[in-house]
Amino acid sequence: MKDLLRIKSLISTEIESLLNQQVKKEAHSSSIYLSMASWCNRNGYDYSSEYFFKQAEEERQHQLKFYKYILDMGGNAISPDVTDIKQEYNSFREVFEEALDQEISVTRSISNIYARCLSTQDFVTMEFLNWFLKEQREEEYKARRALELFEVIGEEGTGRWQIDKHVGGIKYDSEA
Amino acid sequence: MTVTATLPQVSEVFATKHGCVQQDDAQRRWLVEFAGRTASFDHRNLMKLRKAVYAIDIEQRLLEGAHGPDVEIIFICASEHCYVLSLLQVIAIKDLLEGAFVMLELNQIIHNRLYRAYA
Ligand SMILES: [Fe+2]
Ligand SMILES: [Fe+2]
């Protein structure tokens, strides 16, 4: 009996559903960042708001990368429902703490897919995921750096204003 | 004049006492024998059938009992097939499809292993 499933699709149904879950996760990230951009804007942190708008756009691009990969490999990409987006934060700092939590959970879930690819010898998807692993390095770095600003600048006095200004300048440029 | 006859290359994927799924290698299609008829599905429509059947919440239907509808209509977009099934038949076709997909995935594993063994 021919392997007809393989003829139709490069990826297994298991990997396909994991990738669809990731599509949802990226869409969720994008929405969270959008809500953070709104909160920051409403509270006078314009640079941070701008920073989160950019992050939201990046997450949308990540979502599309996964989405198109699933389709290109012959799978069925599922447009996700995005619900339960937190709209209010208790403090400026809390926004960045949650941004880092979000990135850590994304790194974990991509690693998890990578592990499944390895055990099923799906090297093609592993190669595709490499880009995301590198991207997560940058994402976590930026989120950590933002939180670090709260430590080195301090929130007293005009601290938060200073932090906001510096968030706009966070960059990651590693050659490695 | 050359006559190319395609020999039927049909193998059984999975069968239960209520039905059976066969694979036609030459046509690249699956034949689903269920509810008194045989319907042929290509990959896309087989996936749609699976999705439609798996989406039925059997437990919920059982809870609804007499209040709910007694038949389930499975309509597959862009396919000529449509099933009108009782709840028991829904359970049976779900069983059949689950078994068939386990076998298809097993077949994939075997193909991968064989290839690795010869490579
Ligand atoms: Fe992302
Ligand atoms: Fe991210």
Side-chain angles (χ1 to χ4, degrees):
Chain A
M1 188 164 79
K2 268 190 188 165
D3 182 5
L4 291 186
L5 294 185
R6 181 66 180 81
I7 289 168
K8 284 297 166 188
S9 176
L10 187 148
I11 49 178
S12 69
T13 38
E14 187 205 357
I15 297 296
E16 180 181 320
S17 86
L18 287 173
L19 293 173
N20 268 314
Q21 279 171 37
Q22 193 61 34
V23 165
K24 192 179 171 116
K25 234 174 152 53
E26 300 291 345
H28 191 80
S29 289
S30 184
S31 287
I32 286 176
Y33 281 133
L34 212 51
S35 137
M36 289 173 170
S38 164
W39 189 92
C40 287
N41 183 287
R42 282 181 280 130
N43 288 276
Y45 304 113
D46 283 2
Y47 289 100
S48 301
S49 176
E50 203 41 52
Y51 172 82
F52 286 124
F53 269 117
K54 262 190 227 138
Q55 288 299 114
E57 191 49 46
E58 272 191 26
E59 299 305 340
R60 165 90 182 154
Q61 293 309 317
H62 297 168
Q63 181 198 340
L64 292 180
K65 260 193 160 77
F66 278 108
Y67 204 77
K68 287 178 180 156
Y69 177 77
I70 296 168
L71 290 174
D72 287 351
M73 295 309 105
N76 178 14
I78 298 164
S79 181
D81 282 335
V82 179
T83 48
D84 296 326
I85 303 297
K86 179 172 168 175
Q87 306 291 339
E88 291 301 329
Y89 293 87
N90 293 310
S91 66
F92 188 35
R93 188 188 179 120
E94 189 185 84
V95 176
F96 288 95
E97 279 167 351
E98 296 202 4
L100 177 58
D101 287 348
Q102 177 62 23
E103 289 303 338
I104 290 171
S105 99
V106 168
T107 310
R108 276 210 190 103
S109 98
I110 292 172
S111 303
N112 179 47
I113 304 173
Y114 205 87
R116 283 310 295 156
C117 289
L118 183 61
S119 65
T120 59
Q121 304 207 357
D122 182 349
F123 301 117
V124 177
T125 304
M126 279 166 73
E127 195 270 335
F128 164 75
L129 289 174
N130 282 337
W131 184 89
F132 285 93
L133 290 175
K134 196 164 183 188
E135 178 70 13
Q136 283 314 109
R137 217 198 307 167
E138 173 177 337
E139 299 276 75
E140 282 201 27
Y141 171 89
K142 287 198 294 186
R144 260 190 211 98
R145 177 65 189 146
L147 272 179
E148 210 171 44
L149 294 175
F150 285 81
E151 302 302 327
V152 293
I153 298 172
E155 292 187 65
E156 303 75 32
T158 55
R160 284 198 272 275
W161 177 78
Q162 284 281 352
I163 293 166
D164 181 46
K165 256 183 97 166
H166 282 89
V167 164
I170 294 174
K171 269 205 297 282
Y172 179 75
D173 34 34
S174 160
E175 295 298 310
Chain B
M1 194 177 73
T2 37
V3 178
T4 26
T6 3
L7 289 168
Q9 295 168 276
V10 177
S11 24
E12 183 180 291
V13 178
F14 189 71
T16 65
K17 63 174 190 272
H18 299 288
C20 127
V21 175
Q22 291 174 310
Q23 179 173 307
D24 184 337
D25 279 355
Q27 303 291 321
R28 299 189 173 185
R29 293 176 81 89
W30 287 274
L31 302 164
V32 178
E33 221 180 286
F34 191 78
R37 60 199 169 94
T38 304
S40 156
F41 293 87
D42 63 5
H43 180 266
R44 187 189 303 263
N45 285 322
L46 188 71
M47 292 300 176
K48 282 184 188 163
L49 175 66
R50 176 173 75 156
K51 200 173 166 225
V53 169
Y54 287 12
I56 299 170
D57 190 339
I58 293 168
E59 227 169 279
Q60 184 58 39
R61 291 289 187 280
L62 285 170
L63 288 173
E64 281 165 8
H67 310 294
D70 208 28
V71 290
E72 196 67 51
I73 298 170
I74 301 173
F75 174 74
I76 299 144
C77 183
S79 153
E80 66 272 35
H81 308 302
C82 173
Y83 287 98
V84 179
L85 304 175
S86 71
L87 196 53
L88 281 174
Q89 284 177 306
V90 170
I91 295 170
I93 199 172
K94 193 175 175 188
D95 233 33
L96 177 64
L97 291 175
E98 276 172 352
F101 275 96
V102 167
M103 295 314 285
L104 290 174
E105 274 159 37
L106 183 65
N107 185 44
Q108 180 153 62
I109 291 169
I110 292 167
H111 273 267
N112 286 342
R113 286 290 147 84
L114 280 174
Y115 184 80
R116 253 175 260 152
Y118 287 119

